[in-house]
Amino acid sequence: MAAFTSHVAANIGHIIFSKPPVNAFDSSEWAAIAAEICALGLRGDVHVIVISAEGRGFCAGVDIKELGAHPDMIVPVNKGNYDTFEAIHKNPKPVIVALHGFVLGGGIGIAGAADIIVASECATFGVPEVDRGAMGGGAHLQRMFPVQKVRHMYFTGELIDAQEAWRLGAVEKVVPRGDLLAEATAIAEKIAAKSSIMVQLAKEALNGIEDGDLEAKYRREQGMTLEAYSYKDSQEARDAFNEKRDVSFKPEG
């Protein structure tokens, strides 16, 4: 079964994640997602892109089981993540994300790279990277929330809900789960009805005036992930998660 489906309707490109149970993607799936987002952005009949998901939540990030069994896969996983987030942020077309349930790890990267966020009332946001022996997500989370809120979420691993995300300004609208895709599509329709070239120029201009370089900041985080993987605590964190037990950290050496 494919990890996602895509189609185009009324100048709107749709990507729907569909990998049960939690939309956690392995390295090849991240690469395929990035390629599809890029391909939609290059199509003349696509003026705007909507990314949504089926199942229990939007995206739980990377496949920890793959990384638990093969830590060396962190390099292609990192590349797949980087390429996906860049494909969204630097896509010539606006990208709207429709979020429900859990938005974790790589799901945060997708949301933070997007242009507009619509969330269902059940959506929760978090970065469990520290508890999984990795880094990443801070650059994109900081595009959504204030610095100190990001650090609290990063260090504690605690989640925030959709209403708090809306209060902090990251989310355009919070709607019932049943209305989520319709609301995101309605916004997309407003954008799709405008001059596509004008909207593309607007996105390029807005990206150009952002503070800092999002991709460069995320690349630094990925370097820290590679460093994290050199520590025994990193492997223990993944093993404990996959084996559904408490962690048992031992002194390095």
Side-chain angles (χ1 to χ4, degrees):
M1 181 178 178
F4 65 92
T5 59
S6 69
H7 67 276
V8 176
N11 297 127
I12 301 170
H14 289 270
I15 295 178
I16 305 99
F17 297 153
S18 55
K19 186 187 178 185
V22 295
N23 290 319
F25 304 119
D26 64 26
S27 52
S28 63
E29 289 163 341
W30 279 110
I33 291 167
E36 184 62 20
I37 294 169
C38 287
L40 286 175
L42 293 174
R43 287 181 55 159
D45 61 339
V46 172
H47 295 181
V48 59
I49 298 168
V50 175
I51 303 177
S52 61
E54 299 173 347
R56 290 163 46 194
F58 177 74
C59 178
V62 303
D63 185 346
I64 298 297
K65 291 181 180 178
E66 177 187 44
L67 292 173
H70 306 286
D72 57 305
M73 291 301 292
I74 188 60
V75 175
V77 167
N78 266 353
K79 177 171 172 49
N81 279 168
Y82 182 94
D83 290 347
T84 297
F85 308 155
E86 182 184 45
I88 295 169
H89 182 233
K90 292 190 174 179
N91 200 288
K93 314 297 170 60
V95 178
I96 300 169
V97 290
L99 309 178
H100 78 281
F102 41 76
V103 184
L104 305 173
I108 288 289
I110 290 171
D115 297 287
I116 297 171
I117 298 172
V118 181
S120 72
E121 295 166 336
C122 66
T124 56
F125 301 79
V127 277
E129 271 75 358
V130 167
D131 293 332
R132 305 290 183 266
M135 301 289 112
H140 295 88
L141 199 68
Q142 201 161 293
R143 197 168 180 253
M144 300 165 64
F145 304 125
V147 171
Q148 281 77 17
K149 186 65 177 179
V150 169
R151 294 186 181 214
H152 182 271
M153 292 175 68
Y154 211 103
F155 297 154
T156 67
E158 292 179 6
L159 304 176
I160 66 170
D161 62 21
Q163 287 294 342
E164 177 69 355
W166 176 83
R167 185 186 72 82
L168 293 170
V171 173
E172 179 65 25
K173 288 188 177 181
V174 178
V175 298
R177 173 74 179 95
D179 298 337
L180 179 61
L181 185 55
E183 187 61 46
T185 302
I187 295 172
E189 288 171 345
K190 291 180 181 179
I191 297 170
K194 299 181 182 296
S195 162
S196 183
I197 189 61
M198 291 298 111
V199 172
Q200 290 178 60
L201 286 171
K203 177 165 180 177
E204 183 178 353
L206 291 169
N207 278 3
I209 62 173
E210 285 186 356
D211 292 333
D213 184 324
L214 180 62
E215 283 70 36
K217 288 187 287 187
Y218 181 57
R219 183 62 86 192
R220 175 178 172 81
E221 287 187 87
Q222 290 190 316
M224 301 301 290
T225 291
L226 290 176
E227 181 176 341
Y229 267 54
S230 71
Y231 291 98
K232 294 176 183 177
D233 281 359
S234 180
Q235 186 65 48
E236 168 60 16
R238 287 186 297 283
D239 289 345
F241 175 79
N242 288 327
E243 296 166 12
K244 296 180 172 56
R245 60 171 173 79
D246 292 337
V247 294
S248 179
F249 296 127
K250 296 179 175 62
E252 294 282 338

